[in-house]
Amino acid sequence: MKICPHCEAELKDSVIRCMRCGRSLRDDVEREPVPAAAAVGSVASTAALPSAPSIPVAPARPAGTPAPVVTPPPNLRESMEQRPLRALPRRRAWGPDWFMLLAGIMAAAAGAIAYLTVEHPWVHLDITRAETDHEEALITALSLRGKAAFVGTAGVWLAVALMAFGLVWFFYGFQRGWTMPGVTNPALGFLVTTAGIISTVLASMVWFVWEDAMVAHARAAGLTKEAMQELVDLQPAPLVEIERLPGLATFGLMMGLGFLASAIGWYAYRRRD
């Protein structure tokens, strides 16, 4: 046992630092002298943060020397090449769209004229029956208006649809900056006019589309409805020659004009995007 010389506490012989006052019990510990220069800034040097790395400064470039070309790193250059480029939004142009105005006028006029032609005679039918191998006997003749058959009724709706499209196209033709809804797309005009052209071809080449109209207008041919129905149902079927009248030709021509108007309107519609 030994006694601490500072606080007189009893300690073991192996202890070299007092457990009570915390002072060293070794007499041979010498303190190193602290230089004056280091002592002045000791606190500041120990608490100072690590200094920021210095930024290298490029040497001054002589006058008249071209500037060096800075090449980005390969990884940065690849990322820039792979990144999609954004196009700047294009400003809408304002003012009348002459193509759309023309398409609207053509379609509206074609639809109106086609609607009026449905009231006119479309075909003249000559119904004959073969008596011998070289002779045919005329049974009756009949002229029918377009509205008498289903093709004419469908033609009415097609003409009204084409006229409506033309009015809408004409309205949007006053300002090319207006956004046209999808239901006014001139591509629908192609469908309407194509259906009208198909109806014209069927009405001028296939007499079966006039079968119901023939029975309904049998009195105009000098027959009863029953007699006309028996004539239509004959086997072999009677020979029916179709003579196209100006009403049907005009309707087909107006559908063709509407198809051209739809093409012009489609061109103008694509330019708006």
Side-chain angles (χ1 to χ4, degrees):
M1 297 294 290
K2 60 182 178 180
I3 298 175
C4 174
H6 305 288
C7 63
E8 298 181 355
E10 293 184 358
L11 304 173
K12 294 182 179 180
D13 295 336
S14 59
V15 176
I16 61 175
R17 184 176 295 276
C18 180
M19 302 297 294
R20 177 184 294 178
C21 63
R23 296 185 180 183
S24 176
L25 304 179
R26 297 178 59 181
D27 297 335
D28 56 346
V29 177
E30 298 181 358
R31 295 184 179 178
E32 296 180 359
V34 180
V40 173
S42 60
V43 177
S45 61
T46 56
L49 296 175
S51 59
S54 60
I55 301 175
V57 180
R61 180 165 52 86
T65 305
V69 179
V70 179
T71 304
N75 54 354
L76 179 60
R77 186 167 59 252
E78 292 177 0
S79 62
M80 293 175 62
E81 293 176 355
Q82 296 176 359
R83 183 180 302 173
L85 300 179
R86 281 189 178 179
L88 294 176
R90 186 176 60 181
R91 297 181 61 184
R92 285 183 176 271
W94 293 91
D97 189 344
W98 300 110
F99 288 100
M100 190 63 73
L101 288 174
L102 177 60
I105 294 174
M106 292 174 59
I113 296 175
Y115 177 82
L116 296 177
T117 59
V118 179
E119 297 290 335
H120 297 168
W122 275 23
V123 293
H124 180 79
L125 305 177
D126 291 331
I127 307 172
T128 61
R129 183 173 57 188
E131 290 186 346
T132 63
D133 294 339
H134 303 285
E135 295 182 1
E136 295 178 354
L138 178 63
I139 300 176
T140 185
L142 182 63
S143 296
L144 295 174
R145 299 176 183 270
K147 65 178 182 180
F150 174 75
V151 288
T153 304
V156 171
W157 292 105
L158 294 176
V160 171
L162 181 60
M163 185 167 49
F165 277 129
L167 294 176
V168 173
W169 298 342
F170 182 77
F171 171 76
Y172 281 99
F174 283 104
Q175 283 295 344
R176 70 181 64 183
W178 292 344
T179 301
M180 298 178 60
V183 294
T184 62
N185 192 327
L188 299 177
F190 288 122
L191 300 178
V192 171
T193 54
T194 301
I197 294 173
I198 293 175
S199 299
T200 305
V201 173
L202 291 176
S204 62
M205 298 183 64
V206 182
W207 72 270
F208 294 105
V209 300
W210 299 100
E211 182 175 344
D212 295 338
M214 292 167 60
V215 175
H217 297 79
R219 293 186 179 275
L223 300 175
T224 62
K225 292 184 179 181
E226 292 76 11
M228 181 64 75
Q229 187 66 51
E230 291 177 1
L231 180 61
V232 170
D233 295 338
L234 282 177
Q235 295 297 331
L239 301 176
V240 180
E241 295 181 1
I242 301 177
E243 180 184 355
R244 291 177 290 274
L245 299 181
L248 179 60
T250 304
F251 181 85
L253 181 62
M254 291 302 102
M255 288 294 109
L257 182 62
F259 189 90
L260 178 60
S262 300
I264 298 175
W266 173 250
Y267 171 74
Y269 182 80
R270 292 292 301 273
R271 291 177 59 201
R272 289 171 176 256
D273 297 339

